[in-house]
Amino acid sequence: MPATDFQGSSVPFSSLGRSILSIRRDRVHSMDANHEASSGGASSEQDQLESFQKHVADLFLGLAASSPDDLLSLSWIRKLLDAFLICQEEFRAVLFSSRAGLLSRPPLDRLVGEFFERSVKALDVCNAVRDGIEQVRSWQRHLDIVVSALDGGGGRAPGEGQLRRAKKALAELTIGMLDEKDSATVLAHRNRSFGRNNGGGGSTKDHHRPSHFRSLSWSVSRSWSAAKQLQAIGNNLTAPRGHEVVATAGLAVPVYTMNSVLLFVMWALVAAIPCQDRGLQIHFSVPRQFPWAAPVMSLHERIVEESKRRDRKNSNGLLKEIHRIEKCARHLGEVTDEMRFPLGEEREAEMREGVREVASVCEALKEGLDPLERQVREVFHRIVRSRTEGLDSLVKPGNPE
């Protein structure tokens, strides 16, 4: 994602937190407070730090209250990214409204620098997730062909030609959802064949897009690993010690908070979306004294448990809609394999029910994938902007206007 492609604010997140506009107003009030008497200014800074901790806790409490059916759905992932964007903006306000020169003094300069280095590693995860979203789109296009072939129109049962077309699309979908290491050769042939047999499932141009048969995360190198990248983001991430908190006027705490939020959000994205060399085995533990620790750790445990479910262990991703794709494709594949002409009334009813389920999945993907991709892009650009401003502050102490 080129850094010059910034898209602006994401959709509102009023259900889980304040708007970005209110955060900016808070920042102005906080900066005004720094001009008060030293005792009053210190009190204002402390209030701002405590407010940030509480707000992060509120955001993740809202996410943790999600039902099992909502957790890891497209809508839930979008809420998670909105929470991250709000945390990022408020953290930026806390950091840049601190006393002049504090950011450039040790140990805060080191802590902030380490945070920005972790942020750079998160950019690769954003790119990998973006390409994983495109991979899900390619699966959706196969499902669109299945619906088009079997829906019939006018209540008519599909003919043998339509049935063959649906079976072919389901077979190609199954191949496409295999691990890339097992299916790279077949996948390339599949897409050349798929391009010749357009059949109304999308434009010919779409079927020739290179993302169909390149690596799931082709904007990162083929040796890149999502699992290793997450481990690198979490490496040496420890809660601040007492002397670090004192020496940084308390700012070591929000830096640690934002590090933890960054790690958790990137980990959850990799858990949900197909990525190159996915892996969730990272050490993630937060001291319970932080007000946001309980909801974040609860979400971490729930996602780990989901990954251990028998029907999810070998999945491309834990996104609920991916699970629905797998279930619908498997069920409809079994139904079509057993279909014989002329169709009996019971078999046709079963087929139509399967088609309705597939159509429902396609609709959910069409409504959710584009907004999700925009949010991932926004996270990328917000990280870039925040890092640029932060590094400038480390070199030239002072608050950005």
Side-chain angles (χ1 to χ4, degrees), residues 113-126:
E114 289 174 352
F115 168 71
F116 289 136
E117 287 306 307
R118 290 187 173 95
S119 297
V120 170
K121 294 178 175 65
L123 298 180
D124 265 357
V125 176
C126 289

Side-chain angles (χ1 to χ4, degrees), residues 138-139 141-143 145-146 149-150 160-176 186-187 189-199 207 329 332-333 336-337:
S138 75
W139 300 338
R141 285 189 279 267
H142 289 306
L143 293 179
I145 291 173
V146 173
L150 297 182
E160 291 190 57
Q162 285 85 0
L163 178 60
R164 283 195 299 271
R165 183 165 163 248
K167 284 183 175 181
K168 181 176 182 293
L170 287 169
E172 290 169 340
L173 172 62
T174 301
I175 293 172
V186 180
L187 208 55
H189 177 267
R190 169 181 68 95
N191 283 282
R192 288 194 294 272
S193 174
F194 189 58
R196 288 195 303 268
N197 295 280
N198 187 13
H207 293 312
L332 197 54
T336 55
D337 282 345

Side-chain angles (χ1 to χ4, degrees), residues 232-273:
I233 294 173
N235 190 37
N236 296 323
L237 178 56
T238 57
R241 299 175 178 85
H243 70 276
E244 291 176 323
V245 175
V246 172
T248 61
L251 283 172
V253 175
V255 173
Y256 172 72
T257 298
M258 202 61 216
N259 270 317
S260 300
V261 169
L262 177 74
L263 176 59
F264 175 78
V265 170
M266 293 301 119
W267 176 84
L269 283 176
V270 170
I273 307 296

Side-chain angles (χ1 to χ4, degrees), residues 60-61 64 286-288 290-301:
F60 281 92
L61 280 168
V286 180
R288 292 288 177 176
F290 294 100
W292 45 268
V296 170
M297 291 306 299
S298 172
L299 285 169
H300 180 264
E301 291 166 8

Side-chain angles (χ1 to χ4, degrees), residues 303-320:
I303 293 172
V304 168
E305 286 304 309
E306 183 74 10
S307 71
K308 293 179 179 177
R309 281 177 45 185
R310 188 173 183 179
D311 57 344
R312 308 307 306 276
K313 280 186 177 181
N314 297 318
S315 178
N316 287 274
L318 299 180
L319 190 73
K320 290 293 184 182

Side-chain angles (χ1 to χ4, degrees), residues 356-399:
R356 279 193 293 270
E357 295 219 8
V358 171
S360 174
V361 176
C362 289
E363 189 62 30
L365 293 173
K366 288 174 183 176
E367 291 179 359
L369 287 178
D370 284 351
L372 176 60
E373 184 176 17
R374 286 194 295 270
Q375 282 177 299
V376 172
R377 184 182 293 114
E378 185 173 351
V379 167
F380 181 99
H381 292 297
R382 196 72 65 85
I383 288 173
V384 169
R385 187 181 71 182
S386 178
R387 181 176 183 272
T388 300
E389 292 176 344
L391 292 178
D392 286 345
S393 296
L394 291 176
V395 175
K396 300 176 182 178
N399 296 325

